Amino acid sequence: MRNGILIFCCWISTFCAFAQTTTGKYVAFLACPIVRDSKAMPCWLAEKDGTTYYLGQQGSSASAFYPPQLKHQVLVEGFIQDPQKTSCGGIVIDPIVISVMPELDVACTTLLPAEDGLEPPAPVPFPKYEPFSDDTKEFQILYDFDSDYLTLHKTRIAGEAVRVAKIQQPARIEIHAYRGKSKLSDGTILEEKLAMVHRRAEKMFDVFVGLDISKEKIKVIEHEKALGGKGEGDYLNRKLVIKLYK
C-alpha cells in the first residue's frame, strides 16, 4: 500500500521536500504579498520585519507553485537554506508552503517594476503526475489555511481516489476531515475555524457522490480538535484523509 502523503509529495516536489527531514532555518509569518515584474515572468515576494523574501514565480493553475493574491495576506511556512541566496530581490525560502488568507486586506497591493539584476530563476517545470496504484487504501489532501478550496493538484488526488474506489469496490469509504494550527516565528498561534472541518468533509462527500459513488458506502468523520501549533510541519495538519475498506 502506498501512503497518501508520500504519493501527494511525489506529485508536488515542494511538499515532498518539506515532508521529509529538512535542514535550514524554519520561518513562518503573515505578510502582504508583493508582485515584482521581470523580463520573463512576474515573481512574488513578501516583506517581514524589514527583510524581503522570495516566494515563487507567477505561473498557471498547473504549476507546482500556486501564487498568492493581492488584497489578501499570505501565510508563509518554510525553510531558509542560505540567507545569502536571493532571487528577484528576496531571500529564497525553499521548500515553501503558502496559504492565501481568506480575509480581504486592501493594503496588500504593492507592485514593483522590473529591475536589471533582479530576475526570477528559470521557470519551474510543471510537476509530473503518476496514477495512484490501484491497490491504494488511503489518500491525503492538504489544504491552504482556513480553506476548503480544491486546486487542480488537489482535484487530481480526489479524482484518483474515486477512480481507485470504483476499481476496488470497497464496502466502506471513510472521509476524515481535520483542521490545524500554525505557530508563527514570533510565537503567535493561528487556528483554523471549526467550520472548516465540516466544509472540507461536505465538499469531498459531494465529490464522491457526484461521481457515482453510493452515499450509503461513505462515512464522514469530522475531527474537531485543531492539530499542530508546534512550528515545522504544521501545514500537514490541514488535511482530509480518504480511507477505503473491504
Side-chain angles (χ1 to χ4, degrees):
M1 181 181 74
R2 299 170 68 184
N3 180 275
I5 182 61
L6 292 180
I7 298 172
F8 180 84
C9 290
C10 290
W11 281 19
I12 305 179
S13 59
T14 298
F15 286 87
C16 193
F18 205 155
Q20 299 169 358
T21 301
T22 306
T23 59
K25 178 186 177 183
Y26 178 74
V27 293
F29 58 87
L30 280 173
C32 283
I34 300 168
V35 180
R36 180 185 292 280
D37 199 5
S38 77
K39 296 176 182 177
M41 188 174 291
C43 55
W44 288 88
L45 308 167
E47 183 178 329
K48 186 66 175 180
D49 297 330
T51 301
T52 302
Y53 299 93
Y54 172 75
L55 307 182
Q57 59 185 250
Q58 183 69 36
S60 70
S61 60
S63 301
F65 176 76
Y66 204 79
Q69 295 179 28
L70 293 178
K71 296 187 178 181
H72 292 266
Q73 290 195 57
V74 62
L75 170 61
V76 178
E77 300 166 284
F79 289 84
I80 299 172
Q81 306 295 338
D82 180 359
Q84 302 303 315
K85 182 180 179 181
T86 63
S87 184
C88 217
I91 296 173
V92 174
I93 301 177
D94 182 28
I96 186 171
V97 175
I98 67 164
S99 296
V100 177
M101 302 303 284
E103 298 80 13
L104 188 68
D105 189 335
V106 295
C108 298
T109 57
T110 301
L111 299 169
L112 300 178
E115 291 186 34
D116 290 338
L118 297 181
E119 297 297 325
V124 177
F126 289 164
K128 295 181 179 180
Y129 301 105
E130 296 293 337
F132 283 64
S133 170
D134 290 348
D135 63 356
T136 303
K137 302 296 184 184
E138 184 172 316
F139 303 80
Q140 180 162 279
I141 295 174
L142 304 179
Y143 291 87
D144 285 1
F145 191 92
D146 256 349
S147 174
D148 65 343
Y149 178 62
L150 294 173
T151 63
L152 176 61
H153 308 299
K154 299 175 178 65
T155 300
R156 289 180 187 272
I157 298 173
E160 279 292 284
V162 171
R163 181 188 68 80
V164 172
K166 288 182 176 181
I167 292 173
Q168 294 185 18
Q169 291 296 311
R172 185 174 84 258
I173 299 171
E174 290 185 358
I175 296 175
H176 293 257
Y178 301 82
R179 67 187 180 111
K181 295 186 287 187
S182 285
K183 183 178 182 180
L184 305 186
S185 297
D186 64 5
T188 301
I189 302 292
L190 302 181
E191 183 172 322
E192 291 191 292
K193 297 180 180 66
L194 177 59
M196 202 52 56
V197 177
H198 178 69
R199 286 172 54 182
R200 289 168 180 165
E202 183 179 46
K203 178 171 284 190
M204 192 55 59
F205 177 86
D206 290 343
V207 167
F208 270 69
V209 173
L211 293 174
D212 298 324
I213 299 294
S214 172
K215 62 182 179 181
E216 283 73 26
K217 286 187 174 184
I218 304 172
K219 181 179 182 180
V220 173
I221 302 171
E222 299 182 2
H223 301 264
E224 295 186 348
K225 181 180 179 181
L227 304 177
K230 298 180 180 179
E232 297 181 23
D234 279 341
Y235 80 100
L236 291 168
N237 298 301
R238 306 189 292 263
K239 64 185 179 181
L240 183 139
V241 179
I242 301 162
K243 298 182 179 182
L244 310 182
Y245 293 94
K246 282 292 188 182

